[in-house]
Amino acid sequence: MDIRQLRAFVTIVDLGSLTRAAAQLHVAQPALSQRMTRLEAELDTALLLRSPQGVQPTEAGKALYRHARTVLRQIEEARQEVRRGAAGGATGTVAVGLPTTVAAMLAAPLLRRVRAEHPGIRLQVFESMSGYLEELLANGRLDLAVLYRDLETPSVAVEPLLREELFVMGALPGDARAGRRARADGRATCPVRALAGVPLVLPSGAQGLRRLVDRAFARAVAEPPTVVADLDSLPLLLAAALDGLACTILPWSALAALPPGVTLAHRRLTEPDLDRPVSLCRLATAPRTAAAAAVRDILLALTRDGLADGTWHGVRPTGTPAPAPPPRPRTRGGGP
């Protein structure tokens, strides 16, 4: 087993295709196939499953992929460090996974800070739904991932960052009849029970946000939400709410994805308060490189700064209770 075999194997898994991998590696496809056949023979196990749809790793292949990524990363870091010599500073490639809503707040500042403070670090940012990022982290394709979880496991180390409140976005059906306009500043609230029967567009059941919403409805409404479409796309969720097709439920940070000058009415969800933990995660078994540690420190600093200066709304530090909803107006007769 040599470095060329490992690099070829990782490229095949990343691209999911022998043809595309051969083109990227500038080798003939038959030669690449033979290289993989020799690697499988050396390890005495199948590493790749070939089908008309592409190439996928076997369970043994997934294990090799994780180790190969670590080896290749360490080799690259050694090369960069030797080249830079006495110049110092963290070097190497760091792969970071950011959920789509978090990326709207953190991706650009992260790129700027890493470029300014650690020019020797090559940053790879994967923006996707949280469920897919969990898979990438488990497969060793990410060094760091911001995920909606607060519990550690033997394989995943977790650093809590904050708690992110959830908002119902869009005009509710009763607003027009009551002559109300939903506020676009986020200070209004809405109990979950008020969403009974309201058409909603939500992420699919594979996503953590959907599971959280389903549990809240089970507690407050005793029936599932009225979902008219499952959309694993932040732009589509926002577009549906903007067009008045349905409301959606998202964190405040999702509003950063709106075009400049466009606003969307949003109310913080209460009774029960709907929020979720946001944590910085990494594989506990993976080596901690200087470059990954530097990016981790920047992510923590950006989160602290956003909490301190108020640029990131609808969030609070871990362990801080949710704000109390405004008191309900009392009737003229003094009733509730």
Side-chain angles (χ1 to χ4, degrees), residues 98-101 127-135 146-148 166 202-215 230-234 237 249-250 276:
L98 298 176
T100 305
T101 53
E127 177 188 337
S128 186
M129 290 287 184
S130 59
Y132 181 58
L133 294 179
E134 289 188 15
E135 293 182 14
V146 175
L147 299 175
Y148 301 114
L166 295 181
L202 295 173
S204 66
Q207 307 303 328
L209 186 147
R210 177 61 174 275
R211 295 194 296 268
L212 182 61
V213 171
D214 287 345
R215 288 196 297 268
D230 300 289
L231 305 176
D232 285 342
S233 165
L234 178 60
L237 291 168
I249 295 175
L250 292 168
R276 57 184 177 177

Side-chain angles (χ1 to χ4, degrees), residues 77 80-81 84-92 117-121 290-291 294:
E77 288 171 355
Q80 293 289 343
E81 189 171 342
R84 290 186 176 273
T91 61
E117 299 176 14
H118 301 282
I121 294 178

Side-chain angles (χ1 to χ4, degrees), residues 191-320:
V192 172
R193 65 177 179 275
L195 300 183
V198 173
L200 295 173
V201 288
L202 295 173
S204 66
Q207 307 303 328
L209 186 147
R210 177 61 174 275
R211 295 194 296 268
L212 182 61
V213 171
D214 287 345
R215 288 196 297 268
F217 267 74
R219 289 175 55 192
V221 188
E223 63 183 49
T226 305
V227 179
V228 297
D230 300 289
L231 305 176
D232 285 342
S233 165
L234 178 60
L236 286 178
L237 291 168
L238 293 172
L242 284 169
D243 290 345
L245 299 176
C247 292
T248 188
I249 295 175
L250 292 168
W252 180 91
S253 54
L255 297 173
L258 291 173
V262 176
T263 59
L264 179 61
H266 51 286
R267 298 173 168 98
R268 181 170 60 85
L269 286 169
T270 61
E271 302 177 41
D273 295 314
L274 233 61
D275 61 18
R276 57 184 177 177
V278 181
S279 300
L280 185 59
C281 304
R282 63 177 179 84
L283 282 182
T285 54
R288 299 194 68 177
T289 65
V295 174
R296 171 254 185 200
D297 291 343
I298 290 175
L299 281 168
L300 293 178
L302 289 172
T303 303
R304 287 194 300 268
D305 293 346
L307 287 169
D309 62 21
T311 56
W312 194 343
H313 300 291
V315 298
R316 62 184 189 277
T318 300
T320 304

Side-chain angles (χ1 to χ4, degrees), residues 9 13-14 36 42 66 89 97 100 112 115 121-122 140-141 172 190 194 226 233 237 246 256 274 306 331 336:
F9 177 73
V13 174
D14 284 344
M36 292 301 98
E42 179 182 346
R66 291 192 295 270
T100 305
R112 285 194 295 268
R115 183 63 183 162
I121 294 178
R122 179 179 177 181
R141 299 180 69 174
L172 295 175
C190 175
T226 305
S233 165
L237 291 168
L274 233 61
T331 64

